[in-house]
Amino acid sequence: MGAHMAQWGFKTAGWAASVLSLLYGGLTAGYLIGRLLIGERWSLIELANSLMPLPLLPMFVGGPLLLGLRRWKWSLIYLPALIFFTAQYSPLLLPNPAAPITAPRLRVLTYNLGSVVADAGHTAAVIRSADAHIVALQELLSPVAERLVADLADLYPYHALHPSDYYARGVGLLSKYPITDDVYLNQIALGGQQARIALAADTTITVLNVHPVAPAARLLGIDSARRSQEIAYALEIAAQVTDPLLLVGDFNITDQTEDYGRIAARYADAFRASGTGFGASFPNFTRFLYSIRFLPPIIRIDYVFYDAHWQAVDAYPLADHGGSDHYPMLAELAFTGEPHPEIVQRGS
């Protein structure tokens, strides 16, 4: 009787896994076909793109489960998802080309503070520990800005801050180098800025720190029209820059969205070029529910993009979120355009 029940349970588990896999395989195939033929004109495709690689992760459970249950043919359902995953993410597991050893280095941190006020001292400690040369901040509230200026004055004597008393609307830059010009970009709803920073007497770079709005939820899918407009606006400004350029911030995109593709067509992504793994920076689940503090972030929406004057050396999200719903993203770049020995000596 016991052996019969065990056999029945094994068959039931096998059929249940097969049915769920068939459903998942159908959805995956529909997504891949829709992505190829329709793109983000169908908001469900855009929603899936905006959650990548999360929708692909079930295959790492379902595939081995079917193999363990000896459902060999059924496991082929996961093949399209596996091929897509391999094509999109396997480069992040491969060795990255080394930057020229002689090129000066610049460390850049982008950090969405999550409009946190409760513990600005913790925020300052996270920034100090990263020891970046340039720090781009989003969702910067006025009380936090005051605390950061006070706590980090020794490390960052230069700053261009546009804090806000309204949720998610402030931006700012902290720098070890002089900020020679700064313009607030009020066409971006959550804030943006264009600043010039003098790395040396004859070397000035431009930093665009932007925070395009997140997509709006719809009944079936999302609407990212406003985000796309703001990213297009940032790209228009970037195209007019003649300095070496850094385009950084919380873009509210994953690297599978069409908006990301528009940026990546012109500028390189530091994490894509030099990082390892998924580089997920959002969300910090403890911000919403402390009891799930062991759940890691699931998507990457914080970026350091750069033009042809730079080469990525390394990039990764910091382990300490500082109370924000984002994890800061740190990138180390080599300045390959016109090397100057004095660049990045400060604080290096």
Side-chain angles (χ1 to χ4, degrees):
M1 183 67 176
H4 177 73
M5 289 296 295
Q7 185 178 15
W8 179 84
F10 185 82
K11 288 184 177 180
T12 302
W15 280 111
S18 299
V19 170
L20 290 175
S21 298
L22 180 62
L23 177 62
Y24 175 79
L27 290 173
T28 302
Y31 161 73
L32 295 176
I33 294 172
R35 175 181 165 118
L36 180 64
L37 299 179
I38 303 173
E40 291 184 358
R41 288 176 293 170
W42 188 9
S43 61
L44 282 175
I45 300 296
E46 186 175 14
L47 176 62
N49 286 347
S50 297
L51 294 174
M52 284 294 169
L54 183 63
L56 299 177
L57 300 185
M59 69 176 175
F60 292 107
V61 176
L65 178 61
L66 286 176
L67 292 174
L69 293 171
R70 302 176 186 176
R71 301 270 172 169
W72 320 112
K73 294 182 179 179
W74 283 91
S75 65
L76 295 176
I77 291 172
Y78 290 97
L79 188 59
L82 180 61
I83 293 174
F84 178 75
F85 179 90
T86 302
Q88 295 298 321
Y89 295 104
S90 61
L92 293 174
L93 305 178
L94 299 175
N96 296 300
I101 297 175
T102 58
R105 306 295 174 88
L106 187 77
R107 293 189 299 276
V108 181
L109 183 73
T110 180
Y111 189 6
N112 182 323
L113 304 179
S115 290
V116 173
V117 181
D119 192 0
H122 187 185
T123 303
V126 171
I127 295 173
R128 180 177 291 277
S129 67
D131 194 27
H133 297 95
I134 298 173
V135 180
L137 305 170
Q138 304 88 42
E139 298 197 20
L140 176 64
L141 296 175
S142 298
V144 178
E146 295 174 3
R147 179 65 182 271
L148 295 182
V149 169
D151 285 9
L152 299 172
D154 61 320
L155 194 61
Y156 299 105
Y158 308 101
H159 50 81
L161 305 179
H162 303 275
S164 172
D165 293 321
Y166 297 96
Y167 181 81
R169 296 184 182 274
V171 294
L173 288 172
L174 303 172
S175 176
K176 294 184 178 183
Y177 298 98
I179 299 174
T180 61
D181 187 49
D182 173 57
V183 178
Y184 183 74
L185 306 176
N186 55 17
Q187 293 90 336
I188 298 177
L190 299 183
Q193 66 187 131
Q194 178 181 359
R196 300 187 76 199
I197 299 177
L199 298 187
D202 55 353
T203 302
T204 301
I205 68 170
T206 291
V207 177
L208 282 177
N209 173 27
V210 297
H211 187 194
V213 297
R218 295 175 56 177
L219 181 60
L220 291 174
I222 57 176
D223 180 1
S224 64
R226 179 62 184 272
R227 181 192 69 191
S228 296
Q229 292 171 2
E230 293 183 348
I231 288 177
Y233 168 70
L235 289 175
E236 288 177 7
I237 293 176
Q240 301 172 23
V241 173
T242 57
D243 292 331
L245 175 70
L246 300 176
L247 176 59
V248 304
D250 169 12
F251 288 79
N252 280 307
I253 56 176
T254 70
D255 61 7
Q256 296 303 311
T257 61
E258 292 179 6
D259 279 335
Y260 174 90
R262 295 182 184 100
I263 301 173
R266 306 186 194 182
Y267 306 105
D269 170 1
F271 184 84
R272 265 280 172 181
S274 63
T276 302
F278 296 122
S281 61
F282 180 83
N284 161 30
F285 286 100
T286 62
R287 175 79 180 273
F288 311 105
L289 186 61
Y290 184 73
S291 61
I292 54 174
R293 60 189 181 278
F294 298 112
L295 190 63
I298 55 176
I299 58 177
R300 180 167 68 98
I301 60 177
D302 301 274
Y303 295 87
V304 174
F305 294 103
Y306 57 92
D307 68 6
H309 293 87
W310 309 88
Q311 183 174 346
V313 178
D314 195 9
Y316 53 91
L318 301 185
D320 192 346
H321 47 70
S324 172
D325 52 349
H326 289 247
Y327 288 78
M329 180 67 69
L330 181 65
E332 182 176 359
L333 306 174
F335 186 78
T336 58
E338 298 178 4
H340 294 276
E342 66 268 33
I343 297 176
V344 195
Q345 293 305 310
R346 199 168 310 178
S348 59

